[in-house]
Amino acid sequence: MNWAAFTTAEPDLAKTVEERFGGGGAGVSPAKHSTHHVLATLRKDGSPRTTGLEVRFLHGELWLGMMPDSLKALDLRRDPRFALQANPGEGQTLGGGDVRIAGRAIEVEDSDARGAYVTEVEPPEPFHLFRTELTEVVRTSVEDEKYLVLQVWKPGQPLRTIKRT
């Protein structure tokens, strides 16, 4: 399931996630506004690797762009599973909650798709470009300074909300 399908299924959660990733929301151009976040991939030996990454929400997709032959790109070529955590940056509150996205990253070779991305983002070339297929979106927040609230979404399942004290 791509980002557009998730947005249709859960528009409120999708808006919150985009805002936490700095990728949009009302009046914000996602091509002009992004911050660094943490991407987890799997190394050859199966151990986790975490690295910084900028993300983009464009044309109904969540895009991951990377430098040529970066270790994270090579990891994703070998095993497309990833987890991505928003880093809202210094000085910002977590009022929107902590958000994580998990899924599969599919490398994009199509020249039209890459061209549209280049037109909007203007990345340094050459670069690797991946679109994502989502397997889970999780938001963790605090309610009434008392409850830890988890919102968990998976394709084909209703949004689950879990409250813990």
Side-chain angles (χ1 to χ4, degrees):
M1 181 174 285
N2 72 359
W3 189 257
F6 169 64
T7 299
T8 299
E10 293 296 335
D12 292 339
L13 181 56
K15 181 180 181 222
T16 298
V17 170
E18 283 192 39
E19 288 170 353
R20 297 314 301 163
F21 274 98
V28 179
S29 168
K32 303 293 185 204
H33 184 104
S34 81
T35 55
H36 286 87
H37 307 290
V38 178
L39 175 71
T41 58
L42 296 171
R43 300 171 190 252
K44 284 181 190 179
D45 67 3
S47 64
R49 180 191 315 274
T50 58
T51 53
L53 180 76
E54 292 184 27
V55 303
R56 301 283 199 244
F57 298 88
L58 296 169
H59 311 295
E61 299 284 359
L62 169 56
W63 300 96
L64 312 176
M66 299 168 202
M67 292 173 50
D69 298 323
S70 64
L71 293 176
K72 58 191 158 193
L74 298 176
D75 287 347
L76 290 173
R77 280 181 160 175
R78 186 176 45 261
D79 185 329
R81 294 176 293 172
F82 74 91
L84 183 63
Q85 177 130 10
N87 174 11
E90 187 177 332
Q92 297 181 12
T93 68
L94 289 177
D98 173 68
V99 294
R100 298 181 309 275
I101 299 170
R104 294 172 39 91
I106 311 303
E107 190 159 17
V108 176
E109 302 290 343
D110 177 73
S111 60
D112 290 340
R114 288 178 65 84
Y117 182 86
V118 167
T119 298
E120 298 229 21
V121 178
E122 300 177 0
E125 294 205 40
F127 66 99
H128 293 284
L129 181 63
F130 296 84
R131 67 173 187 76
T132 60
E133 294 177 351
L134 310 179
T135 57
E136 182 179 63
V137 177
V138 178
R139 176 184 177 217
T140 306
S141 60
V142 176
E143 183 178 296
D144 298 330
E145 297 181 28
K146 180 178 177 181
Y147 298 102
L148 180 68
V149 179
L150 295 161
Q151 291 179 291
V152 180
W153 173 88
K154 294 182 180 185
Q157 298 179 15
L159 180 66
R160 290 186 315 139
T161 301
I162 303 161
K163 279 189 178 183
R164 296 183 180 152
T165 55

